[in-house]
Amino acid sequence: MENIDNINRGSKPFVLKSEKTYSADVETYIPQGVCSTMINFAVEDDKLVFVEFTGGCPGNLKAISSLITDMPVQDIVGKLKGITCGKKSTSCADQLCKALDGYLK
């Protein structure tokens, strides 16, 4: 994984989270091979209750975040795992799935 000190600090985070309050700890994942430089997320009762991408495509990541917030983690992974972006072998959505897979293990 990339050292967190090497992250582009000028990127603005795109935040969309559930209106509900949650007690889960926020996890941080450093994605590889995509424009996004960091993904913060929280899972509570096997549902994604918070997700924040730093960098990447703002509109797409806001849309993805809106669609998957409060969804069961297994459903998210089932729908988004393996999606690619252009000629890249992965995407921000696929990287989130890698983060969620790691969290589940």
Side-chain angles (χ1 to χ4, degrees):
M1 274 195 197
E2 179 182 355
N3 183 325
I4 199 162
D5 293 332
N6 294 333
I7 293 172
N8 177 359
R9 302 264 181 220
S11 297
K12 293 183 180 179
F14 307 114
V15 181
L16 191 66
K17 56 184 165 182
S18 170
E19 294 297 321
K20 296 186 251 176
T21 58
Y22 54 89
S23 59
D25 290 334
V26 174
E27 305 286 331
T28 298
Y29 180 79
I30 306 300
Q32 301 293 306
V34 295
C35 298
S36 180
T37 57
M38 186 167 42
I39 304 171
N40 293 316
F41 66 95
V43 175
E44 188 174 85
D45 297 327
D46 297 321
K47 289 185 179 182
L48 184 72
V49 294
F50 169 81
V51 64
E52 168 188 77
F53 292 86
T54 301
C57 305
N60 289 333
L61 295 174
K62 285 179 186 177
I64 289 169
S65 297
S66 177
L67 291 169
I68 64 175
T69 297
D70 294 324
M71 262 180 91
V73 170
Q74 293 292 357
D75 291 353
I76 296 167
V77 172
K79 290 180 182 288
L80 301 180
K81 188 174 187 175
I83 291 177
T84 60
C85 182
K87 294 182 180 182
K88 298 175 184 175
S89 63
T90 189
S91 66
C92 292
D94 183 54
Q95 289 294 299
L96 174 62
C97 292
K98 291 179 188 300
L100 293 172
D101 276 342
Y103 171 81
L104 292 174
K105 292 180 181 173

